[in-house]
Amino acid sequence: MSFFVDVILPIPLSKLFTYSVNEHEAHFLKPGMRVAVSFGKTKIYAALVFRIHNEQPTYQTKDIEYILDEFPIVTSTQLAHWQWIADYYMCSLGEVYKAALPNAFLLESETVVEIAQKDLSTTQFSDEEYLVYEALNFKTSLKGQEITKILNKKKVLYVLKSLLEKKAIKISEKIFEKYVPKRIKYVRLAEKYQEENGLKQALDLLKNAPKQKQLILAYFNRKW
């Protein structure tokens, strides 16, 4: 038996798109979970599962790339509400999907450049091509933004096109999370100075460091 999922893509197209899944994936997936799917020749999108079924479409389906969520991030009630919004405002579910979810939950596809052949003769390269090729010899891959910084130019497609034609690089699509957690650093006293009786010992050690001594006193005043 074949298994399929209808997914919502974050693009302004009214129809749902169907992808193939295996039996294990079909039993694991639920509406409202995200899956990575390829669309077109090079793009990868985070699509939202709308329906799981066994109905074979009339066209050849692609497999999903992989599952992004362990649990649904959108409820069935919300999906029904999205459908109402799309019908009422005469827009696509994809547009509602893109507008409804915070950016942190949306994934984006970025072009990643990787070296195809090492130790090529660089005599055939222009100065800009040489810079990109040499950078890739020291780093496994480069994002488009990194190449822009290396060349100090925003338009780098012609350089990449030339390197592709010379079979020096290859371009693949990788998926990246937009969300980056904010981290805050904290400093604390060593365990032996945590108690009140450790205060005297700590102050004795800092008798020639008035600023550090003041910091220790402020810490204990706040704690006690």
Side-chain angles (χ1 to χ4, degrees), residues 113-120 133 136 140 163-164 166-171:
V113 180
E114 302 169 344
I115 198 163
Q117 296 184 58
K118 291 189 174 182
D119 303 319
L120 282 178
Y133 186 74
L136 284 168
T140 307
L163 286 170
L164 280 169
K166 294 170 182 175
K167 301 187 186 303
I169 64 169
K170 57 184 178 180
I171 294 179

Side-chain angles (χ1 to χ4, degrees), residues 44-63:
I44 297 176
Y45 287 101
L48 198 74
V49 175
F50 190 81
R51 188 170 73 102
I52 303 104
H53 58 87
N54 304 109
E55 301 166 15
Q56 174 76 51
T58 56
Y59 54 87
Q60 184 68 35
T61 56
K62 296 180 181 179
D63 294 333

Side-chain angles (χ1 to χ4, degrees), residues 16-191:
L16 299 174
F17 294 87
T18 304
Y19 287 81
S20 301
V21 292
N22 59 41
E23 185 175 0
H24 174 74
E25 291 168 336
H27 290 310
F28 178 79
L29 285 169
K30 294 178 178 61
M33 294 173 67
R34 293 174 301 166
V35 292
V37 300
S38 61
F39 187 77
K41 291 184 178 180
T42 58
K43 294 296 181 183
I44 297 176
Y45 287 101
L48 198 74
V49 175
F50 190 81
R51 188 170 73 102
I52 303 104
H53 58 87
N54 304 109
E55 301 166 15
Q56 174 76 51
T58 56
Y59 54 87
Q60 184 68 35
T61 56
K62 296 180 181 179
D63 294 333
I64 65 168
E65 298 292 326
Y66 47 88
I67 298 170
L68 294 169
D69 298 312
E70 294 184 10
F71 306 98
I73 62 168
V74 178
T75 67
S76 57
T77 302
Q78 289 170 322
L79 284 173
H81 185 55
W82 287 10
Q83 184 67 70
W84 179 87
I85 292 173
D87 293 339
Y88 186 83
Y89 290 102
M90 294 183 291
C91 62
S92 69
L93 270 172
E95 290 171 297
V96 180
Y97 167 37
K98 191 171 184 179
L101 284 186
N103 282 338
F105 287 93
L106 293 175
L107 297 169
E108 60 182 8
S109 180
E110 293 184 7
T111 300
V112 176
V113 180
E114 302 169 344
I115 198 163
Q117 296 184 58
K118 291 189 174 182
D119 303 319
L120 282 178
S121 172
T122 56
T123 56
Q124 58 179 325
F125 293 166
S126 68
D127 291 342
E128 292 169 332
E129 292 167 1
Y130 177 81
L131 286 173
V132 175
Y133 186 74
E134 282 298 297
L136 284 168
N137 272 292
F138 291 97
K139 195 170 181 180
T140 307
S141 61
L142 288 171
K143 296 180 186 178
Q145 298 95 319
E146 293 174 308
I147 295 172
T148 300
K149 291 178 181 178
I150 290 170
L151 300 180
N152 198 26
K153 289 184 176 181
K154 289 186 177 180
K155 296 181 179 179
V156 298
L157 291 183
Y158 73 96
V159 177
L160 300 182
K161 179 176 179 292
S162 180
L163 286 170
L164 280 169
E165 290 171 349
K166 294 170 182 175
K167 301 187 186 303
I169 64 169
K170 57 184 178 180
I171 294 179
S172 61
E173 289 287 315
K174 292 187 179 179
I175 202 158
F176 295 91
E177 288 276 3
K178 283 186 175 180
Y179 173 71
V180 178
K182 183 179 179 181
R183 299 183 182 276
I184 302 175
K185 292 183 178 179
Y186 290 92
V187 178
R188 66 178 181 180
L189 288 174
E191 188 173 346

